[in-house]
Every structure is written in C-alpha cells, then in structure tokens.
Amino acid sequence: MANAISPPNLYDKVALKYPIHRAFDITILVLLISLLVYRLLYIRNHGFAWLLALLCESCFTFTWVVTVSSKWNPVEYKTYPERLSQKIQELPPVDIFVTTADPVLEPPILTVNTVISLLAVDYPADKLACYVSDDGCSPTTYYSLVEASKFAKLWAPFCKKHNIQARAPFRYFSSEVPLNNSSEFQQEYNKMKDEYEELASKINDAVEKSIDGNILSGDFAAFSNIERKNHPTIIKVVWENKAGISDELPHLIYISREKRPKHPHHYKAGAMNVLTRVSGMMTNAPFMLNLDCDMFVNNPKIVRHAMCLLLGSRDERESGFVQCPQYFYDGLKDDPFGNQFEVLHKYIGSGIVGIQGPFYGGTGCFHRRKVIYGSCPRDVGIQAKSLTSVHGDLTEKEQLKIFGNSKEFVRSAAQALQGKANMSPQILPNLIEAAHRIAGCGYEYGTGWGKEVGWQYGSATEDILTGLKIHARGWRSVLCSPDPRAFLGCVPRVGPISMTQQKRWATGLLEILISDRNPITATLTARLQFRQCLAYLWILIWGLRSIPEICYAVLPAYCIITNSSFLPKPYEPAMYIHVALFLSYVIYGLLEYLETGLSIRAWWNNQRMARMNATNAWFFGVISVFLKILGISGTVFEITQKDQSSDNGGDEGRFTFDASPIFVPGTTILLLQLTAFVMGFGGMQLPSVDDASGLGEMLCSVLVVICFWPFVKGLFGKGKYGIPLSTICKSSLLSLSFVYLVTSSSMGQL
C-alpha cells in the first residue's frame, strides 16, 4: 500500500544569521564591562562626577544586556496561503474589531477607509464580521459607517474582480495609477472614483456641519440628547449578511458601550472587552482581529496569511496570537521624529520572535478567542499556580463568576473554550437586547474581566500587559510579515503629538513594571521564559531609562561648571575604551540603518530623537506614575491625533513646540550646556587641584547641544517653531538654581 502524501506546510520558520551584528554586540558589551571595571578601580581617586558616571554606565550596560538577549536569535516566518485549500476543508470564521474614541482626533473618514478595506479582504464574506467600537458615541461616525456600507457593496466586488491590492479607497485613488487600459476597467474605475468622492464629501459635510436635531430621528434617535461620557449602550447592525453568501459583504455592527461618570471605563481595554463579549454573543468566531481606526488593509490576503500560522502548527500552543508589524504610509523622509521603527522591527523585533514570540502591539493582531478567555495550553494546565486556568469544563457557577451573569454569553464562552465556536447562524438584530446587557458599564463588577480574562486593566499600554498575560500562561506568539505589508497606518507628523505618544507609552510600561503582573513575577510563578522576561524588561524600562539619560546629559555641564572630570585625560590609556565604545556604537548603528535601506540622516534623526524622547517624554511618564503612586493624580489615556492627509501646513519634519511642560527638561539641559560654555570659556570655573575638566568634557557638552539642536532653534524661533517664553523662564530658573547649588556645594568642599 502506498504511503499517503502529507499535506504541505502552511508556513516555514527561518532562522536569520547576522554574524557581524553578533560581533558588534559582544564587542560593545565587553567594552561596557571594561569601562565599569575601570570606573571601580579608580573611583577613590575621583569625586561625585565619577560616581554618577559609574551609576549611569551601569544602567546603560544593563540595557545593552537585555537588548542583546532580545535580538540574539532572529527568526522570521514565511507563509503559503495558496496551500490552505490543500490542508483546510473550510476556512474558520474571524471577528474583526475596529476601535475609535474621538471623532475629532480620529476623523470618521479615516475609520471609514479602514472598515471598507476590511470588508473587501480576500476571505469569504460569510466567515467575517466587522465590529466598530465608537467610544466617542458620535452620530457622525455612525452615519459615516452607514454610508460606507453602501459604497462597500460596489467597492468590494470591484477590488476582487480586478485584484486591487490597496483596498482602502483613499489610498488607491491617491497613489495608484491604473495599469489596466481596457475601456471596461476605465469605466468602472471612474465610476468608483466618483462614488468615493461623493462618499468623502458626505462624510466631510457631516463632520463640518455636525448632525443636527432633524437627523436624530428614526435610526439616529438613539443619539439624541446624549453626552459623550454619559450615555446608554448603542448597538446597531449596519449591515447583515443574512443569506450567508460568501460574495456579499461581511456583517457590520456599530457599538458604543454604556458610559457613566462614576463608573471606570478602562479606556481601550474596556472597549475591547465589550467588543469581545458582544461578538461572542452574536457571531462567536474562534479567531479575532483587532485594528486601530487608522490601520487599513494593505495586503488583501492577510487573513489567509494569518490562518497559515494559526492553523498550520501541530501544537496550537505555538500560536497563541499572530502579530503583524506596525508600519506606516507616507512616512516623512529620513524619519525626523524617530517614530517609524523600521530598524527596530527588523532586528529587535525578529529577535524577540525567536524567543517566546513578539509582544502584542495593540493593533494588527489575530487572537484565539479562547486564549483571550483565559485558556492555557493543554500541556500547561494548572501548573502555573499564580494563574487561573479557564476551560470549558468549569461548572456554570464558576463560569458565571468569571464571565458575568449572562447565561447566554457564558454558553457561548464555553463553546469557544471547547473549540466549538461556530454556532448555528443567528439573526443578529434578535441578539441586540442580550448584547446590550453585556455591554453595560456595570456588567464587569465582581467578574474576572480585566484581571483573569480579556484585555487587561491597570496600564495605559493595555496591549503589552495583555500579551504578557498570554505569554505567562505558556502560549507563544508568532510574527506575520508578508509581502506586501499587512496593514499600514498613519504616523504622527509633528513634534508635540509624537512626544505625547511617547509619554503615554512610557507611563503605561512603567505601570506594568511596578505592578504585581510584571515579567519577573510571571517568570518566577508562571510560564514566562527567562529570556522573554528580559525582552519585556527591555521595553518596560523605557521610562526609567530617562533618569540615567538626563544625568548623563547634564554630567558634562556639571563637570565644566565645577571644574571636575568624569573622563580620563587624553593621554591616559583608558581613553581608548571610551573612543572604541563610541566608534563601535556609531558604526553598528549606521550598519543597521544602511542594511535596512535607510539613510545616514535617518540614523542621526533616530539617535537625536532617542535622546530627546528619553529626557522629555519618558521622564514625564515617570513623573505621571510617581504622582499616581502618591495618590496626587491618576494617569490619563491620551489619544494620539491621527490625520489621513499628508498636508500639515508645512509642519512635516519641522519640530514645533507648545506650552506643555514636557519641553522643560530638554530646554533646561540645553541652557545648562550653554551656561557651562560661558563659564568654561569665560574663566569662571571653580578652582581644581588635579581633577580638572578638559577637552573630553567640552566635546561631550557640544555633542549634547547637537543632539538637542531643535531646541537650539526653538530658542530663536517664533510662533509654534519657538519655545514658549513660559517654558524658557521655567528652564532658566531651574538652570540657575542648579548652577547655584553645585557651585555652593563645591565651594564648601574646598
């Protein structure tokens, strides 16, 4: 009897080799350790500056250790969606979640393009359901979705017929030149363009004029007399694929969860948990994709690529979730704000994939529903005693305690946990009343939502915390990076917005680090691997890194003012360690950027912004958490402004300022360097016997000024390109106070 031919693999796991990079990693680590040894050997011969340098360089060495560990074993996955039909008889259903929270910061036209691109993906429409969460409770957003569904009925067939890649209409009509010259295609193309322009005009008019009272009737009556933060649940079935036809549009459901002033709503995590419950009640697909409102589909086969990774493994433990890298469209040339993360994705991102898998990035991620419900891998079971193992065999009483008091939802959750998520087709409008109950703001009280199951509460970066919880249960994750890229989003194009985003990240990450759900605890008491713990520490210490970064930036000015040193003299052999370390780091960074196809200018912009983000945005993230610990104020989830247009009034790439205190640390550091120059060249330094500052300290101070060059221009700029006078006054006061304190202290020791 002939041997049966096994079906082909749906994906390949490929180990990447970067021998030159490893050599640099080790070289820099050895130089850092040599520097620390040198500091310790000669610490008795030097003063405070030497000790401060030792402490800062110890922090930098630890950061380098966790960085090298994170990138040491890079891996990538190659998927073969064309093989799905040979291995899978029927594609599984997928529920898609799109979240938006503010119709001003996140314009409805942006959300609409994301939704339209999802409705047109290359996947059977009867297997998809798209849920849009509107935390702004905006009738304009709902109106936009209703109009978008009408356009999508024309757009989806057009895309599939002509194999259009960019399925967000704004992207297609603005960037692609039609290659098909047939008269039939040209006629359809012009018709679709006219239809989209009409849609965009309707939405823009609705945004500008707002939805007036006359429209708030009929289907819009639910939006009358409501407040954004005080309203009942609103659930609307915008479109239902009643016949379950694969060539029609997927289901489209609008959700605005209940909000009341005295009830915590947990920001995006709370919205995701409502989406999870409502979708579990209505369609209960075994897999879920979540996207931010600005992340449109760039690869129409992305759902099939993800299914290769979710279904192609012998052990589902290998793919607890599938994360797609976050890339952006129309990125500014040379990445002036250092927020496109191309190099980070290529090297550190692929390295973390080779450990226990990538972090959950909050968007572009495919989840197993049962994993979100708290399920552990089969071979892990309840061995991780610090975690509650949720499974389908729990008693009804236990399930009600975890999932809430809705028996209908508990039944759907049990089916998902048992791998029986494909419920018989139901008429969606008939489920709205039950869905209202589980979307209420009081439903989660006394349940496991946000702690044991669902998206996790307690951090402004709910994505990292949720992914950490999944990894702690013993699941692995995989990275899906097809060509062309899966999703594309918009990136902040002006300075203050980018800084605000960095501050929120630093705040949320530090909240996780100081909580009882940190990776160290997960490694000791659960199933998080040790190197994955180091990888999480690499990102969670972003905020704390601001402290040694600020101290090291101030150190050259301190030494010049007090006429002390933290560097060896040029003629001392130890200077070779510093020079070799500096050159190795610079050459290594340039190598990574050039290999990624980026420019030297992009490398410099990212280096410069790394210093400015650390000393400004990250530092204020630390202050926010510190104030939260003291009970003075709570952390606030700050929505990042999104803009579909590449026209920002000529501000692209130019650093702008506002009156936010976030710019005070950077301005203060700059003024300290300038004060040190005046004192150094003006002969106003304090007297010194044998440890005077020299050329090294002066060059380091110059380097700090170059890194903060946008602030130098801001001192002399006008309007939004200039640092506000109030910020300059605050920074001047801090600088003068610093100079007075250090000179007084140094004079007292003479």
Side-chain angles (χ1 to χ4, degrees):
M1 183 176 178
N3 293 329
I5 299 176
S6 60
N9 292 333
L10 295 179
Y11 69 87
D12 287 327
K13 184 178 180 180
V14 182
L16 305 174
K17 303 295 183 182
Y18 299 119
I20 297 178
H21 293 244
R22 284 192 172 186
F24 272 108
D25 289 333
I26 296 172
T27 299
I28 293 174
L29 181 59
V30 169
L31 288 171
L32 283 168
I33 294 173
S34 301
L35 179 58
L36 295 182
V37 172
Y38 166 70
R39 293 282 187 199
L40 288 170
L41 290 175
Y42 291 91
I43 193 169
R44 291 185 178 180
N45 302 332
H46 298 83
F48 172 75
W50 197 269
L51 175 61
L52 183 59
L54 171 63
L55 294 175
C56 292
E57 289 158 1
S58 299
C59 295
F60 300 151
T61 302
F62 175 76
T63 301
W64 190 255
V65 168
V66 296
T67 301
V68 170
S69 173
S70 300
K71 66 198 298 189
W72 191 253
N73 299 110
V75 165
E76 71 176 4
Y77 289 85
K78 295 187 179 297
T79 50
Y80 307 102
E82 66 278 2
R83 299 177 182 175
L84 276 171
S85 59
Q86 303 174 44
K87 197 164 185 175
I88 309 298
Q89 292 184 351
E90 185 177 4
L91 291 170
V94 180
D95 287 338
I96 303 172
F97 305 153
V98 178
T99 52
T100 182
D102 189 314
V104 176
L105 297 178
E106 298 172 331
I109 190 66
L110 204 65
T111 304
V112 157
N113 270 275
T114 296
V115 171
I116 290 173
S117 71
L118 289 165
L119 297 178
V121 293
D122 184 8
Y123 202 79
D126 59 323
K127 300 292 184 182
L128 298 174
C130 182
Y131 296 82
V132 180
S133 170
D134 177 21
D135 260 9
C137 196
S138 167
T140 305
T141 300
Y142 174 63
Y143 169 77
S144 300
L145 289 174
V146 172
E147 294 300 318
S149 66
K150 300 173 185 176
F151 171 78
K153 294 173 188 176
L154 303 174
W155 174 252
F158 171 77
C159 291
K160 294 175 181 179
K161 177 180 179 181
H162 299 290
N163 195 26
I164 305 299
Q165 177 186 312
R167 302 211 169 172
F170 92 93
R171 187 69 177 167
Y172 176 67
F173 292 120
S174 65
S175 62
E176 287 200 19
V177 178
L179 300 177
N180 191 331
N181 294 321
S182 69
S183 58
E184 179 187 4
F185 172 80
Q186 290 294 335
Q187 185 176 0
E188 291 184 28
Y189 174 88
N190 292 331
K191 178 184 177 182
M192 292 308 307
K193 189 173 183 180
D194 291 340
E195 292 285 349
Y196 175 69
E197 289 175 352
E198 183 179 351
L199 170 67
S201 177
K202 287 181 179 179
I203 293 174
N204 291 332
D205 287 346
V207 170
E208 291 176 6
K209 299 177 182 178
S210 186
I211 303 293
D212 58 37
N214 295 326
I215 300 180
L216 294 181
S217 58
D219 200 27
F220 291 85
F223 294 94
S224 61
N225 300 318
I226 62 169
E227 299 175 14
R228 178 180 168 185
K229 296 183 179 180
N230 186 15
H231 62 83
T233 299
I234 300 175
I235 300 177
K236 298 282 189 180
V237 179
V238 179
W239 169 258
E240 181 182 10
N241 188 344
K242 297 179 181 179
I245 301 174
S246 61
D247 291 333
E248 281 199 4
L249 286 185
H251 301 312
L252 178 59
I253 299 97
Y254 170 92
I255 302 171
S256 185
R257 60 188 170 127
E258 181 185 15
K259 283 188 179 181
R260 300 301 178 192
K262 295 183 180 181
H263 291 265
H265 56 85
H266 302 294
Y267 309 108
K268 183 179 176 181
M272 292 301 300
N273 283 335
V274 169
L275 285 170
T276 302
R277 292 196 296 272
V278 172
S279 65
M281 182 76 75
M282 289 186 159
T283 48
N284 207 31
F287 301 107
M288 304 178 294
L289 162 65
N290 88 276
L291 284 173
D292 287 344
C293 65
D294 64 312
M295 298 293 292
F296 68 82
V297 176
N298 187 61
N299 186 328
K301 295 184 181 294
I302 181 53
V303 183
R304 294 177 183 268
H305 282 283
M307 289 303 116
C308 290
L309 296 166
L310 290 165
L311 305 175
S313 174
R314 294 180 180 178
D315 185 356
E316 64 180 15
R317 175 183 180 175
E318 297 296 314
S319 55
F321 63 85
V322 174
Q323 178 67 55
C324 300
Q326 191 170 358
Y327 293 113
F328 308 99
Y329 62 88
D330 291 341
L332 297 174
K333 183 181 179 182
D334 297 327
D335 193 11
F337 299 115
N339 54 10
Q340 297 177 27
F341 309 122
E342 294 276 351
V343 172
L344 185 146
H345 285 313
K346 181 172 181 179
Y347 296 108
I348 294 184
S350 62
I352 297 173
V353 173
I355 308 175
Q356 201 174 341
F359 308 141
Y360 168 38
T363 183
C365 189
F366 292 83
H367 295 275
R368 294 183 186 272
R369 184 179 289 272
K370 69 177 184 179
V371 173
I372 292 296
Y373 284 172
S375 174
C376 290
R378 294 189 188 95
D379 60 336
V380 174
I382 58 174
Q383 296 175 35
K385 296 180 181 179
S386 65
L387 298 171
T388 301
S389 179
V390 182
H391 49 83
D393 296 328
L394 295 174
T395 65
E396 183 176 338
K397 184 177 180 180
E398 291 173 322
Q399 291 175 342
L400 288 170
K401 183 178 180 180
I402 294 173
F403 292 111
N405 58 11
S406 170
K407 292 185 178 181
E408 297 97 330
F409 176 72
V410 166
R411 282 195 294 270
S412 76
Q415 288 180 316
L417 289 165
Q418 293 168 358
K420 303 175 182 177
N422 292 333
M423 301 168 63
S424 56
Q426 301 192 50
I427 301 174
L428 298 186
N430 295 345
L431 301 171
I432 288 182
E433 183 178 349
H436 270 79
R437 290 196 296 271
I438 59 177
C441 60
Y443 180 81
E444 294 181 350
Y445 285 110
T447 70
W449 287 100
K451 300 181 290 293
E452 298 173 12
V453 298
W455 270 255
Q456 300 296 290
Y457 300 153
S459 170
T461 50
E462 78 297 322
D463 45 6
I464 297 294
L465 183 57
T466 302
L468 174 57
K469 186 83 168 185
I470 294 171
H471 283 136
R473 291 185 180 276
W475 295 96
R476 296 178 63 89
S477 56
V478 290
L479 190 74
C480 183
S481 50
D483 184 23
R485 292 172 170 176
F487 306 101
L488 295 178
C490 58
V491 66
R493 305 174 70 87
V494 291
I497 298 175
S498 182
M499 285 278 190
T500 300
Q501 185 182 57
Q502 291 279 341
K503 177 195 168 188
R504 176 168 63 83
W505 290 344
T507 301
L509 295 171
L510 187 54
E511 286 174 326
I512 298 172
L513 185 62
I514 64 174
S515 73
D516 58 357
R517 292 179 284 180
N518 64 71
I520 298 174
T521 302
T523 301
L524 295 175
T525 64
R527 288 291 177 267
L528 187 70
Q529 296 179 15
F530 174 70
R531 286 186 57 211
Q532 189 74 9
C533 171
L534 294 182
Y536 271 107
L537 289 177
W538 167 79
I539 192 171
L540 295 181
I541 62 173
W542 276 12
L544 292 181
R545 282 168 56 184
S546 64
I547 298 173
E549 287 265 6
I550 289 176
C551 292
Y552 216 64
V554 170
L555 196 52
Y558 170 85
C559 289
I560 295 171
I561 293 169
T562 60
N563 205 12
S564 58
S565 68
F566 76 101
L567 294 173
K569 298 298 182 285
Y571 55 81
E572 295 179 6
M575 180 58 79
Y576 292 120
I577 298 177
H578 293 80
V579 174
L581 184 58
F582 177 77
L583 292 177
S584 297
Y585 184 79
V586 169
I587 294 170
Y588 188 19
L590 286 170
L591 174 67
E592 288 185 326
Y593 275 79
L594 294 175
E595 283 185 348
T596 311
L598 301 175
S599 65
I600 295 175
R601 183 63 180 270
W603 165 80
W604 169 245
N605 286 339
N606 277 262
Q607 294 300 312
R608 179 190 68 180
M609 285 303 303
R611 307 288 76 76
M612 290 195 290
N613 283 330
T615 55
N616 293 279
W618 293 1
F619 181 63
F620 265 84
V622 174
I623 293 176
S624 295
V625 175
F626 182 67
L627 294 176
K628 177 183 178 182
I629 293 172
L630 295 179
I632 297 175
S633 68
T635 56
V636 178
F637 189 95
E638 297 169 286
I639 302 170
T640 303
Q641 182 176 342
K642 300 174 178 70
D643 186 4
Q644 186 186 81
S645 172
S646 60
D647 181 14
N648 282 279
D651 291 344
E652 293 90 348
R654 298 185 64 181
F655 210 90
T656 58
F657 299 88
D658 56 27
S660 169
I662 204 170
F663 296 107
V664 171
T667 308
T668 303
I669 290 171
L670 174 62
L671 292 179
L672 278 175
Q673 310 303 323
L674 299 180
T675 303
F677 290 159
V678 172
M679 295 184 68
F681 290 113
M684 292 182 284
Q685 292 172 289
L686 296 175
S688 177
V689 180
D690 57 0
D691 194 28
S693 61
L695 179 62
E697 286 75 19
M698 191 63 72
L699 289 177
C700 286
S701 188
V702 170
L703 182 59
V704 172
V705 172
I706 294 174
C707 286
F708 284 81
W709 195 251
F711 283 77
V712 176
K713 294 195 290 186
L715 288 176
F716 305 99
K718 296 181 179 180
K720 59 185 174 182
Y721 303 113
I723 301 174
L725 182 60
S726 60
T727 301
I728 295 176
C729 291
K730 294 172 187 175
S731 297
S732 299
L733 181 61
L734 289 172
S735 301
L736 292 174
S737 300
F738 178 85
V739 173
Y740 174 76
L741 289 173
V742 298
T743 52
S744 299
S745 176
S746 299
M747 288 295 291
Q749 297 174 6
L750 292 176

